[in-house]
Amino acid sequence: MRCEPFEADRVAELADCVFSTLPHTASMEACGALVERGCRVIDFSADYRLRDPNLYAQWYGASHSDVSHLGEAVYGLPEIYGDDIRGARLVANPGCYPTAAILGLAPLAAGDLIELRGIVVDAKSGVSGAGRTPKLAYHFPECNESTQAYAVGTHRHTPEIDQVISEIAGAPAEVVFTPHLVPMDRGIFTTMYVRPKRNFTETELLDTYRGYFGAAPFVRVTTRIPATKDSAGTNFCDVTLRVVRGQIVVLACLDNLIKGAAGTAVQNFNLMHGYPETTALL
Amino acid sequence: MRCEPFEADRVAELADCVFSTLPHTASMEACGALVERGCRVIDFSADYRLRDPNLYAQWYGASHSDVSHLGEAVYGLPEIYGDDIRGARLVANPGCYPTAAILGLAPLAAGDLIELRGIVVDAKSGVSGAGRTPKLAYHFPECNESTQAYAVGTHRHTPEIDQVISEIAGAPAEVVFTPHLVPMDRGIFTTMYVRPKRNFTETELLDTYRGYFGAAPFVRVTTRIPATKDSAGTNFCDVTLRVVRGQIVVLACLDNLIKGAAGTAVQNFNLMHGYPETTALL
Amino acid sequence: MRCEPFEADRVAELADCVFSTLPHTASMEACGALVERGCRVIDFSADYRLRDPNLYAQWYGASHSDVSHLGEAVYGLPEIYGDDIRGARLVANPGCYPTAAILGLAPLAAGDLIELRGIVVDAKSGVSGAGRTPKLAYHFPECNESTQAYAVGTHRHTPEIDQVISEIAGAPAEVVFTPHLVPMDRGIFTTMYVRPKRNFTETELLDTYRGYFGAAPFVRVTTRIPATKDSAGTNFCDVTLRVVRGQIVVLACLDNLIKGAAGTAVQNFNLMHGYPETTALL
Amino acid sequence: MRCEPFEADRVAELADCVFSTLPHTASMEACGALVERGCRVIDFSADYRLRDPNLYAQWYGASHSDVSHLGEAVYGLPEIYGDDIRGARLVANPGCYPTAAILGLAPLAAGDLIELRGIVVDAKSGVSGAGRTPKLAYHFPECNESTQAYAVGTHRHTPEIDQVISEIAGAPAEVVFTPHLVPMDRGIFTTMYVRPKRNFTETELLDTYRGYFGAAPFVRVTTRIPATKDSAGTNFCDVTLRVVRGQIVVLACLDNLIKGAAGTAVQNFNLMHGYPETTALL
């Protein structure tokens, strides 16, 4: 493969649609220019995920340099914003943690069934979620045979989850999000603890989930508890739930490298170009 | 090593103190007889952990056959019941999950600082926690490279945690307990989500923990987030906490094979026989 | 999926080609009957791999019950027996270890370049190679974080390797084969030590390999040392070599679940039915 | 712990014996100075392992800067050079790979039982053997779930093994050494292939091994095949062998962090100071 220096004009000449995998802050320098030149863009960075540039500045420590395109950006989670994605010029591909959390919480938020403050999102991720840059924390003998939480209460995926759950619910939501690193290559298992507004049975809730995701080809609502290995190497997100002592325990898992990133990007591409949503993904 | 059929008379003749590692229901057949013959017993099974035989029947599906000794059994967590353990004839060594959960919650429960209903206990355990009997779920290619929850809301360690936190708090506590299996040999990492009765700073709370565990040689209250590897092969339980959006997130970890079982049993033995608590453990 | 009792007549009515995954001894009961009824069969068991029924009896401890079809069975390694596979009625799909060993040794054996007695084949396999039946040896906490040899000098794949290398060389070959279990799901890395008949340079030998495998779409002759992860999830076998102190060290790796079993079976199916060899495999 | 800049005078004032864990080339700058000042030194680097400074220059790419002390340095493998270690001023602690290889081969070399040219040493090591500096090759998602050979024929431990086996045999030995990386924290499993001068039974050879290591407290000659997990966390080296088609297959394993480094250093310290060899190691 040959790499060339980035020139927006040259890229726009060659491509109708661009997948940008630049890091955050660098990506918004490029994406706006591409959109202006008629490219449609699917951006893997965080730059267009948060609607509020002040929130971006607060969590990412940099002011937003492309506010003019922020307004039209669509959050690229097809199960939630599929209709908007079809016509979008600029799609902000979601983070891996938010995908599992949002898919796990959306049916509850949509139905006004739960307390929106203080939802607990406890996520366990394989080490590929940390990227490919060698660091002591990801050196094999350091993280193998070990589990630990990190960035407790400070992880940048927090406001993404808040934002989307708030939009689905039509009221402000706030999650307590704790990511953990577990010694495996890939996969995210997310356990959510939610307080319902009234009592529900598991059957009722599972029906709600099945109804909500009826048309979504990549969400599997299961009765048994899924394992990350069930969805490894696929674009599926598996979801189930239990009612325990009055709380709803939602269990969701996916492959962070597929449904948590590249697979969803392809799914967005399919929607944007009128292909069947599952093209190249099943 | 030579094994002999169990005879209470013979054992009582040979031993002053017995570690019983019989499975539950079998253990209560033997332990009562040993206590009657003057042995002191440290029981690894669940048979004497729950004070209420009805609760035992409900969670273990068997009626308790040694109620006469249940009343004198002491729950063998030295950091909580150390004084009672010193003089005990019968010590119920705790389960691995309850040890991490109780040590993580005790300082909060003791100070009447928190809501006791709906405490979330999200635990991640290495596979040795499941015992040594081969089953498909623990077959290497099944559980390697995979994470999943199991026994959500139904794990038998739940009433142990409830019972001890209730006793410490002096009011009924109820946890929502979700164990998970992660692909490592040993170690438990437990993340707890607690709603305080008023706002606290992390500094205040860490001071409370340091005060509570001041004399406990095997609890390390840390400021940085611990990893299970830090305590692997040791009898330490590492604990810290964060305050996130009004909730207290407590993080505790230990080696399930040491502090979660055999190490605590030795610690109990030391207390029962007047040895320094750390003998053979540091 | 619905399972039905096996009836040769019924299967022959429904299928032109059958993949038999019955265990050895059971498979030869079924395969002969299917071939007689006009089915073409790709057999995953060891039953038709060894040409000599006495050798079969010696290594498998059972007399061969379908000698009448043994003579026409083709050893299903497409890179060696591709022409015979095209027209075969009965194909004996190779074992996972023999595939890596034979592909690593074939170019040397074909050219009469090496001593055929005492070739060392040192293989390292992931645990899925041991099958899916839970046993203590494959219980996660037993085999995780551990490496060991097993079946040293007694593994049943030994005569397969001998037989094929002998056929390629046109003279009797005999390998010293040592399999090892390493703590990973999938993958085989095989290191072979061979004594050449005269001195060769690495360049000469790599050219010989590239020539030998020129038309083989699933063998990649590399200069750098491959890792099992490079071929994981693919039907490729990666091969390279080094000359060290007068010996040739051949390094070959593949995914035991794909090129070491199912992938090669599909490759055989493609050859048998006139499809491009890579159909459904790239 | 407080670190201070290195000053030989200061160290010699404070310490009778020094463990040097400086990297090679840096270590020989310090060790000679310490010996001159009356310290006894156990050096973890490679600087004093090879008797021939030209060989050192050839394998380490640097000329030896302390040839004056090289002559008195003793190779610190207690099972081979125990008598010399007792009185040594300067001990060159062995590499992890050589320890397993030499202990596996020594009884054969001592008895003049084998061909000394072309001995195959195929070693499989956990990732801690590569040190603690993060590199892409040891990044968890790169080396987890993967096995590969490296430094084939070029690993610096090669001349150490040659040298000691030659000294034991009293004739020049030459090994073909291939190290491999397997996805575990610690442990080395070494498989050696040796051509005997005449035929031996396994029983004869095991007796030879038991005789040779009779007084060695940390070598366990076993009949069953050991696993690295058997010796993990201990100072033991487990050794057994099989005779396969006329070759002797020797299997040796140990924990590279204990018997492969720090444990042997303590063993050397014990010998040098007249303590029982097992002090602090059992």
Side-chain angles (χ1 to χ4, degrees):
Chain A
M1 196 191 297
R2 197 165 50 85
C3 290
E4 295 178 39
F6 175 75
E7 284 177 58
D9 287 335
R10 172 88 177 129
V11 173
E13 202 180 294
L14 291 167
D16 296 322
C17 183
V18 171
F19 293 86
S20 169
T21 58
L22 290 166
H24 66 90
T25 72
S27 199
M28 60 191 169
E29 303 297 325
C31 292
L34 291 168
V35 167
E36 284 310 306
R37 282 155 184 79
C39 280
R40 300 176 81 180
V41 175
I42 298 168
D43 180 24
F44 279 65
S45 88
D47 285 349
Y48 299 94
R49 293 181 192 158
L50 301 179
R51 294 188 192 283
D52 177 354
N54 295 321
L55 207 56
Y56 180 87
Q58 176 192 324
W59 284 87
Y60 289 89
S63 63
H64 204 288
S65 67
D66 188 31
V67 178
S68 61
H69 293 101
L70 194 55
E72 69 171 286
V74 177
Y75 191 78
L77 196 52
E79 290 78 9
I80 311 295
Y81 299 104
D83 289 341
D84 296 333
I85 291 165
R86 279 176 224 279
R89 294 202 299 175
L90 177 52
V91 169
N93 215 53
C96 51
Y97 285 124
T99 295
I102 294 165
L103 294 177
L105 296 170
L108 299 176
D112 189 25
L113 310 179
I114 56 170
E115 302 293 341
L116 293 170
R117 301 276 178 180
I119 296 169
V120 169
V121 176
D122 188 286
K124 299 88 178 163
S125 173
V127 185
S128 65
R132 200 163 176 252
T133 307
K135 288 186 197 162
L136 187 58
Y138 317 127
H139 189 53
F140 185 90
E142 296 289 317
C143 60
N144 186 42
E145 283 291 296
S146 199
T147 291
Q148 85 179 115
Y150 68 99
V152 180
T154 64
H155 195 284
R156 285 165 167 175
H157 286 172
T158 306
E160 271 184 61
I161 307 172
D162 287 353
Q163 171 181 288
V164 178
I165 299 304
S166 298
E167 289 190 4
I168 295 170
E174 210 179 62
V175 300
V176 173
F177 172 50
T178 311
H180 299 73
L181 217 56
V182 301
M184 58 186 192
D185 280 1
R186 64 206 309 182
I188 289 178
F189 193 100
T190 303
T191 313
M192 288 155 277
Y193 300 87
V194 191
R195 293 173 187 254
K197 289 195 171 167
R198 63 167 182 87
N199 285 336
F200 296 98
T201 66
E202 287 175 8
T203 308
E204 277 178 288
L205 291 169
L206 285 170
D207 282 347
T208 301
Y209 274 66
R210 289 193 194 99
Y212 187 88
F213 290 120
F218 292 114
V219 179
R220 299 187 293 206
V221 179
T222 66
T223 48
R224 74 179 190 86
I225 298 171
T228 60
K229 206 162 206 169
D230 299 340
S231 51
T234 81
N235 198 48
F236 288 109
C237 177
D238 292 336
V239 187
T240 194
L241 57 82
R242 296 290 184 272
V243 174
V244 180
R245 297 179 157 186
Q247 290 193 45
I248 306 169
V249 182
V250 185
L251 308 146
C253 68
L254 52 77
D255 184 335
N256 59 304
L257 298 178
I258 314 283
K259 184 60 183 162
T264 285
V266 171
Q267 202 179 340
N268 285 326
F269 179 92
N270 290 338
L271 290 174
M272 291 163 77
H273 296 83
Y275 297 118
E277 196 168 347
T278 58
T279 299
L281 291 170
L282 275 190
Chain B
M1 196 191 297
R2 198 165 49 87
C3 291
E4 295 178 38
F6 175 75
E7 283 177 59
D9 287 334
R10 172 89 177 126
V11 173
E13 201 180 293
L14 291 169
D16 297 322
C17 182
V18 171
F19 294 86
S20 169
T21 58
L22 291 166
H24 66 90
T25 71
S27 199
M28 60 192 169
E29 302 298 327
C31 292
L34 290 169
V35 167
E36 283 311 306
R37 281 156 184 78
C39 280
R40 301 174 82 182
V41 176
I42 299 168
D43 180 24
F44 279 65
S45 88
D47 284 349
Y48 298 94
R49 292 180 193 159
L50 301 178
R51 294 188 192 284
D52 177 353
N54 295 321
L55 206 57
Y56 180 86
Q58 175 192 324
W59 284 88
Y60 288 90
S63 64
H64 204 289
S65 66
D66 188 30
V67 178
S68 62
H69 293 101
L70 194 55
E72 68 171 288
V74 177
Y75 191 79
L77 196 52
E79 290 77 9
I80 312 295
Y81 298 104
D83 289 341
D84 295 333
I85 291 165
R86 278 176 225 278
R89 293 202 300 175
L90 178 52
V91 169
N93 215 53
C96 51
Y97 286 124
T99 295
I102 293 165
L103 294 178
L105 297 170
L108 299 176
D112 189 27
L113 310 179
I114 56 171
E115 302 294 340
L116 294 170
R117 301 275 179 181
I119 295 170
V120 169
V121 176
D122 188 287
K124 300 89 178 162
S125 173
V127 185
S128 65
R132 198 160 178 255
T133 307
K135 288 185 195 162
L136 187 57
Y138 317 127
H139 189 54
F140 185 91
E142 295 290 316
C143 60
N144 186 43
E145 283 291 296
S146 199
T147 291
Q148 85 179 114
Y150 68 99
V152 180
T154 62
H155 196 284
R156 285 165 167 175
H157 286 172
T158 306
E160 270 183 63
I161 306 172
D162 286 354
Q163 171 180 285
V164 179
I165 299 303
S166 299
E167 289 191 5
I168 294 170
E174 209 178 63
V175 300
V176 174
F177 172 50
T178 311
H180 299 73
L181 217 56
V182 300
M184 59 185 191
D185 280 1
R186 65 206 309 182
I188 288 179
F189 193 100
T190 304
T191 313
M192 288 155 275
Y193 301 86
V194 192
R195 293 174 188 253
K197 290 195 171 166
R198 63 167 182 86
N199 285 337
F200 296 98
T201 65
E202 288 175 7
T203 307
E204 278 178 288
L205 292 169
L206 284 170
D207 282 347
T208 300
Y209 274 66
R210 288 193 195 98
Y212 187 89
F213 289 120
F218 291 114
V219 178
R220 298 187 292 206
V221 179
T222 66
T223 47
R224 72 178 190 87
I225 298 171
T228 59
K229 206 163 207 170
D230 299 339
S231 50
T234 81
N235 198 48
F236 289 109
C237 176
D238 292 334
V239 186
T240 194
L241 57 82
R242 296 288 184 273
V243 174
V244 180
R245 295 178 158 189
Q247 290 193 46
I248 305 169
V249 182
V250 185
L251 308 147
C253 68
L254 52 77
D255 184 335
N256 59 304
L257 298 178
I258 314 282
K259 184 60 183 162
T264 285
V266 171
Q267 203 179 340
N268 285 326
F269 178 92
N270 289 338
L271 289 174
M272 290 163 77
H273 295 84
Y275 296 117
E277 196 168 346
T278 58
T279 299
L281 292 170
L282 276 191
Chain C
M1 195 192 297
R2 197 165 49 86
C3 291
E4 296 178 38
F6 174 75
E7 283 177 57
D9 286 335
R10 171 89 176 127
V11 172
E13 202 180 293
L14 292 167
D16 297 322
C17 183
V18 171
F19 294 86
S20 168
T21 58
L22 290 166
H24 67 91
T25 72
S27 199
M28 61 192 170
E29 302 297 327
C31 292
L34 291 169
V35 167
E36 284 311 305
R37 281 155 184 80
C39 280
R40 301 174 82 182
V41 175
I42 299 167
D43 179 24
F44 279 65
S45 88
D47 284 349
Y48 298 95
R49 292 180 193 159
L50 301 178
R51 293 188 193 283
D52 177 354
N54 296 320
L55 206 57
Y56 181 86
Q58 175 191 325
W59 284 87
Y60 289 90
S63 64
H64 204 289
S65 67
D66 188 30
V67 178
S68 62
H69 293 102
L70 195 54
E72 68 171 286
V74 177
Y75 190 78
L77 196 52
E79 290 77 10
I80 312 295
Y81 299 104
D83 289 341
D84 296 333
I85 291 165
R86 279 176 225 279
R89 293 203 299 175
L90 178 52
V91 169
N93 216 52
C96 52
Y97 286 124
T99 295
I102 294 164
L103 294 178
L105 297 170
L108 299 176
D112 189 25
L113 310 179
I114 56 169
E115 302 294 339
L116 294 168
R117 301 276 179 180
I119 295 169
V120 169
V121 176
D122 188 286
K124 300 88 178 162
S125 174
V127 185
S128 66
R132 199 161 177 255
T133 307
K135 289 185 194 161
L136 187 57
Y138 317 127
H139 189 53
F140 186 90
E142 295 290 316
C143 61
N144 186 44
E145 283 292 297
S146 199
T147 292
Q148 85 178 115
Y150 69 99
V152 180
T154 62
H155 195 284
R156 286 165 166 175
H157 286 171
T158 306
E160 270 184 62
I161 306 172
D162 286 355
Q163 171 181 287
V164 179
I165 299 303
S166 299
E167 288 190 5
I168 294 171
E174 211 179 61
V175 299
V176 174
F177 172 50
T178 311
H180 299 73
L181 217 56
V182 301
M184 59 185 191
D185 280 2
R186 65 207 307 182
I188 289 179
F189 192 101
T190 304
T191 313
M192 290 155 273
Y193 300 86
V194 191
R195 294 174 186 254
K197 290 194 169 167
R198 63 167 181 85
N199 285 335
F200 297 98
T201 66
E202 288 175 7
T203 308
E204 278 178 288
L205 291 169
L206 285 170
D207 283 347
T208 300
Y209 275 66
R210 289 194 194 98
Y212 188 89
F213 290 121
F218 292 114
V219 178
R220 298 187 292 206
V221 179
T222 66
T223 47
R224 73 179 190 86
I225 298 171
T228 59
K229 207 162 206 170
D230 299 340
S231 51
T234 81
N235 198 49
F236 288 109
C237 176
D238 292 335
V239 186
T240 194
L241 57 83
R242 296 289 185 272
V243 175
V244 180
R245 296 179 156 187
Q247 290 193 46
I248 305 169
V249 183
V250 185
L251 308 146
C253 69
L254 53 75
D255 184 335
N256 59 304
L257 298 178
I258 314 282
K259 184 60 183 164
T264 285
V266 171
Q267 202 179 340
N268 285 326
F269 179 91
N270 289 338
L271 290 174
M272 290 162 77
H273 295 84
Y275 297 118
E277 197 168 345
T278 58
T279 299
L281 291 170
L282 275 191
Chain D
M1 196 190 298
R2 198 165 50 87
C3 290
E4 296 178 37
F6 174 76
E7 284 177 58
D9 286 334
R10 173 89 176 126
V11 173
E13 203 180 291
L14 291 168
D16 296 322
C17 183
V18 171
F19 294 86
S20 168
T21 58
L22 291 166
H24 66 90
T25 72
S27 199
M28 60 191 168
E29 302 297 327
C31 292
L34 290 168
V35 167
E36 283 312 304
R37 281 156 184 79
C39 280
R40 300 176 81 181
V41 175
I42 299 167
D43 180 24
F44 279 64
S45 88
D47 284 349
Y48 298 94
R49 293 180 193 158
L50 300 179
R51 293 187 193 284
D52 177 354
N54 295 320
L55 207 57
Y56 181 86
Q58 176 192 324
W59 284 88
Y60 289 89
S63 64
H64 204 289
S65 67
D66 187 32
V67 178
S68 62
H69 293 101
L70 193 56
E72 69 171 286
V74 177
Y75 191 77
L77 196 53
E79 290 77 10
I80 312 295
Y81 299 104
D83 290 340
D84 296 333
I85 291 165
R86 279 176 225 279
R89 294 202 298 175
L90 177 53
V91 169
N93 215 52
C96 52
Y97 285 124
T99 294
I102 294 165
L103 294 177
L105 297 170
L108 299 176
D112 189 26
L113 310 179
I114 57 170
E115 301 294 340
L116 294 169
R117 302 277 178 180
I119 296 168
V120 168
V121 176
D122 188 287
K124 299 88 179 162
S125 173
V127 185
S128 65
R132 199 161 176 254
T133 307
K135 288 185 195 160
L136 187 57
Y138 316 127
H139 189 53
F140 186 90
E142 296 289 316
C143 61
N144 186 43
E145 284 291 296
S146 199
T147 291
Q148 84 178 116
Y150 68 98
V152 180
T154 63
H155 195 284
R156 286 166 166 174
H157 286 172
T158 305
E160 270 183 64
I161 307 172
D162 286 354
Q163 171 180 286
V164 179
I165 299 303
S166 299
E167 289 190 3
I168 294 170
E174 210 179 61
V175 300
V176 174
F177 172 50
T178 311
H180 299 73
L181 217 57
V182 301
M184 58 186 191
D185 279 3
R186 65 206 309 183
I188 289 178
F189 193 100
T190 303
T191 313
M192 288 155 275
Y193 301 86
V194 190
R195 293 173 187 254
K197 290 193 170 169
R198 63 167 182 87
N199 285 335
F200 297 98
T201 66
E202 288 176 7
T203 308
E204 277 178 288
L205 291 169
L206 285 170
D207 283 346
T208 301
Y209 275 67
R210 288 193 195 99
Y212 188 88
F213 290 120
F218 292 113
V219 178
R220 299 187 292 206
V221 179
T222 67
T223 48
R224 73 178 190 86
I225 298 171
T228 59
K229 206 164 207 169
D230 299 339
S231 50
T234 82
N235 198 48
F236 289 109
C237 177
D238 291 335
V239 186
T240 194
L241 57 83
R242 296 290 185 272
V243 174
V244 180
R245 295 178 158 188
Q247 290 194 46
I248 306 168
V249 182
V250 186
L251 308 147
C253 68
L254 52 77
D255 183 335
N256 59 304
L257 298 178
I258 315 283
K259 184 60 183 162
T264 285
V266 171
Q267 204 180 338
N268 284 326
F269 178 91
N270 289 339
L271 290 174
M272 290 163 77
H273 295 84
Y275 297 118
E277 197 168 346
T278 58
T279 299
L281 291 171
L282 276 191

